[in-house]
Amino acid sequence: MRPTMFGEKEVKEIERIPLSNNTVARRIDEMAEWAEDELIRRVVCSKYYTLQLDESTDVQGLSQLLVFVRYIRQNDAHEDILFCKPISRGTAEEIFNVIDSYIKEKGLQWKNCFGICTDGARAMCGKNSSVVTRVLKQSPCALWTHCSLHREALVSKALPNDFKTVLNTAVKIVNYIKTKPLQARLFQKLCEEMGSLHTSLLLHTEVRWLSRGKVLTRLVELRNEVTIYLEGKTEYIESLLDKEFILKLTYLADIFSKLNELNLYLQGSNESDIFAVHDRIRAFMKKLMLWRSCIEDGKYDCFETLETFIIENQVQPKTNVLSAISTHLSLLKNNFDAYFGEEMKKLDSLNWICNPFQDRLPSSMSTKASEELNDLSEDTSLKNSFNRKQLTKFWLSVAGNYPCLFDEAIKVLLPFSTSYLCEAGFSAMISIKTKYRNKLDVSNSLRLKVTKIEVDAKAVMTKNRKQIHPSH
């Protein structure tokens, strides 16, 4: 029982309830239903809401549709799990129908939905009959956002063939040791005997966001131990003895670590606005070009692992290696442009949202909105209290005096920029629905695990008094 959800009195009263399996399941259902009802009440009271959705499979291999909602309450934006429901085929029609039925059943209005964030799967965002297309028919003013995490992962996957070969070989080396229990134990013993900083490699998986950064860094750190261990066992040892291979490997470890840092920022971007996300990505794109210039000038300090290997082994990278690195950095820059450039240009015209006190007015504004922006930009008290890091709160605070500006701003600020909450939700699902509890209907248990609403246990128990204390 999470003590943060209940007062001590309620916890003691709940603990007096006979804890049969049926009783526990019923209590979970009752508390989850209360949390859901409270959430729906809040969303209905909010004039605006946006959705974030994704689908994945559980331990049974069943597809689960997970939807989060962001809404306005008490002069701030809040987000919570809307629902989790099983789906059979995962088609666009089925996914939309499940969402549409829930929206209508709970009395929500599609016209108040101003955003939807998904990954780039065809069922989600295809041109003709995807989930996004169907949602936009119900709410034409809604803004679709392609998950920034998903886009960054797509950017990072683009590798020239020579680097792709190095990455694949590195993964095979790790898997050769890591996926076989006996090999893993013997390698651990070797590392312990050598007094190594680490005693195991990290397993690579495509499912986890950019896991390759940590995997490659660990392989580089233990390359001497791995070389000793693999001697006489496999042909992979030849790669580890090839300095050109190690140069490319150390570069990949560094660049994927940098991409992972960006990824970690994006994971926390639910608390940041889309402009802040774009700022961080622009900065990263500029650094890509800076790093390319450094490499071309023979300066390697921007890539710590690469530089350390060069200095310790007194290696002078050949032209083909430096050219390959330069080409890859340019490729990354171009891919970021391809996946984010159009969205950035579109939002550049809305820069007044994050800087309403600039002198130049946007030309695309209505006359009424321009008048409001003129008034707001000359309001000294607002200018002095303006906080760039709290844009949503700022625009909510001026909604009454500047309704046209607020209406435009909130439609840009409220939508999710990533589907990370869904990713975190699926991770929570794994801990709830295990191979030992694979028959469990996960929806109510998952809601109680991830909801940000404090369940009023006293209200739940009062509502269900007859069930909790049946008369005899």
Side-chain angles (χ1 to χ4, degrees):
M1 197 71 66
R2 292 196 303 182
T4 55
M5 296 172 64
F6 312 103
E8 292 184 8
K9 182 179 178 181
E10 287 77 16
V11 170
K12 290 179 180 178
E13 188 164 353
I14 291 174
E15 288 175 345
R16 288 198 293 267
I17 301 171
L19 293 180
S20 67
N21 288 338
N22 289 338
T23 301
V24 172
R26 190 163 61 247
R27 294 293 84 79
I28 289 175
D29 290 344
E30 290 167 355
M31 289 187 289
E33 288 168 6
W34 187 94
E36 181 181 25
D37 290 344
E38 174 62 19
L39 173 64
I40 295 300
R41 184 188 67 79
R42 295 181 182 186
V43 178
V44 168
C45 292
S46 173
K47 184 180 177 182
Y48 306 88
Y49 72 88
T50 63
L51 301 176
Q52 170 189 144
L53 57 115
D54 200 357
E55 61 99 10
S56 185
T57 54
D58 60 22
V59 69
Q60 275 184 290
L62 299 177
S63 293
Q64 300 281 351
L65 175 64
L66 186 54
V67 181
F68 278 77
V69 63
R70 180 178 283 165
Y71 59 97
I72 302 297
R73 181 173 182 265
Q74 295 179 346
N75 209 37
D76 202 358
H78 299 264
E79 51 208 25
D80 215 314
I81 178 172
L82 189 61
F83 68 81
C84 177
K85 290 183 179 294
I87 52 178
S88 57
R89 293 172 294 134
T91 62
E93 181 179 13
E94 181 188 19
I95 292 173
F96 173 76
N97 287 340
V98 170
I99 300 172
D100 186 51
S101 296
Y102 187 90
I103 293 291
K104 292 175 179 176
E105 176 191 344
K106 299 300 180 180
L108 303 178
Q109 299 294 320
W110 273 118
K111 66 180 182 180
N112 293 336
C113 178
F114 286 97
I116 177 171
C117 179
T118 72
D119 62 18
R122 181 176 298 178
M124 291 293 186
C125 61
K127 291 184 178 180
N128 297 321
S129 56
S130 66
V131 175
V132 172
T133 302
R134 296 165 193 261
V135 169
L136 295 182
K137 286 181 180 178
Q138 299 293 323
S139 181
C141 293
L143 173 70
W144 172 62
T145 304
H146 183 182
C147 171
S148 296
L149 283 169
H150 185 255
R151 281 183 280 175
E152 195 228 5
L154 292 174
V155 167
S156 71
K157 286 183 178 180
L159 280 173
N161 288 333
D162 50 351
F163 282 123
K164 193 175 296 183
T165 299
V166 171
L167 175 61
N168 291 338
T169 301
V171 171
K172 289 177 182 177
I173 292 172
V174 171
N175 288 345
Y176 180 84
I177 297 175
K178 191 67 178 176
T179 60
K180 301 174 183 178
L182 177 59
Q183 301 275 25
R185 288 196 298 271
L186 291 175
F187 181 71
Q188 179 180 352
K189 186 176 181 180
L190 172 67
C191 292
E192 290 172 350
E193 291 175 351
M194 293 179 66
S196 305
L197 181 63
H198 306 290
T199 59
S200 66
L201 298 170
L202 300 177
L203 192 63
H204 175 268
T205 169
E206 286 290 344
V207 175
R208 293 177 60 191
W209 296 113
L210 292 172
S211 62
R212 63 188 70 173
K214 294 180 180 179
V215 172
L216 297 183
T217 299
R218 180 64 62 85
L219 177 59
V220 169
E221 292 171 345
L222 292 176
R223 68 184 182 277
N224 292 329
E225 290 85 344
V226 173
T227 301
I228 294 172
Y229 182 78
L230 293 181
E231 188 173 0
K233 293 185 175 70
T234 172
E235 68 277 8
Y236 296 141
I237 192 173
E238 296 177 6
S239 297
L240 294 174
L241 295 174
D242 184 349
K243 290 184 178 180
E244 184 171 313
F245 177 89
I246 299 298
L247 283 169
K248 293 177 180 179
L249 179 64
T250 53
Y251 162 72
L252 287 178
D254 283 329
I255 193 63
F256 281 126
S257 294
K258 292 179 184 296
L259 284 164
N260 196 50
E261 290 175 8
L262 175 62
N263 182 272
L264 289 173
Y265 171 81
L266 295 177
Q267 287 181 21
S269 64
N270 284 313
E271 298 179 0
S272 304
D273 56 79
I274 187 63
F275 296 100
V277 170
H278 285 177
D279 288 346
R280 185 60 65 95
I281 292 172
R282 278 196 184 94
F284 193 86
M285 292 165 67
K286 288 182 177 180
K287 286 190 286 187
L288 286 170
M289 294 298 92
L290 171 64
W291 298 331
R292 188 186 70 176
S293 297
C294 290
I295 289 295
E296 292 173 350
D297 292 340
K299 300 175 183 177
Y300 310 119
D301 56 340
C302 50
F303 297 117
E304 182 179 355
T305 311
L306 173 64
E307 183 187 39
T308 299
F309 178 77
I310 291 173
I311 293 174
E312 290 181 350
N313 294 273
Q314 297 182 340
V315 177
Q316 179 58 47
K318 295 181 180 179
T319 303
N320 66 309
V321 174
L322 298 178
S323 177
I325 293 174
S326 178
T327 299
H328 182 233
L329 292 171
S330 295
L331 177 62
L332 287 174
K333 164 64 166 56
N334 293 337
N335 284 345
F336 271 110
D337 269 327
Y339 282 104
F340 290 94
E342 184 177 346
E343 182 182 80
M344 288 178 174
K345 289 178 182 177
K346 183 179 178 180
L347 288 183
D348 280 345
S349 64
L350 299 172
N351 193 51
W352 59 266
I353 295 174
C354 58
N355 183 15
F357 302 99
Q358 58 185 315
D359 295 329
R360 186 170 57 88
L361 292 176
S363 58
S364 58
M365 267 190 170
S366 67
T367 302
K368 179 62 177 174
S370 295
E371 290 175 353
E372 288 186 0
L373 187 55
N374 272 315
D375 290 338
L376 186 152
S377 64
E378 297 302 325
D379 191 321
T380 305
S381 61
L382 287 177
K383 189 172 185 178
N384 291 336
S385 63
F386 178 72
N387 186 340
R388 170 63 183 83
K389 294 182 179 180
Q390 296 183 334
L391 278 185
T392 303
K393 283 187 176 182
F394 170 79
W395 285 108
L396 284 167
S397 71
V398 301
N401 294 328
Y402 306 101
C404 292
L405 292 179
F406 166 77
D407 193 59
E408 292 300 317
I410 203 66
K411 291 175 184 177
V412 175
L413 296 173
L414 196 61
F416 292 98
S417 60
T418 76
S419 57
Y420 178 68
L421 288 179
C422 286
E423 294 295 328
F426 287 128
S427 295
M429 184 187 300
I430 292 173
S431 67
I432 294 173
K433 193 169 186 178
T434 67
K435 63 181 180 179
Y436 303 108
R437 304 170 69 199
N438 59 11
K439 300 297 182 183
L440 181 69
D441 180 356
V442 74
S443 56
N444 284 339
S445 296
L446 182 62
R447 182 181 297 279
L448 288 182
K449 187 173 182 65
V450 304
T451 185
K452 296 181 180 178
I453 293 176
E454 291 190 6
V455 177
D456 188 339
K458 185 175 181 179
V460 175
M461 289 185 291
T462 300
K463 180 180 178 181
N464 300 284
R465 182 68 63 179
K466 292 182 180 180
Q467 286 83 0
I468 296 177
H469 299 294
S471 58
H472 299 282

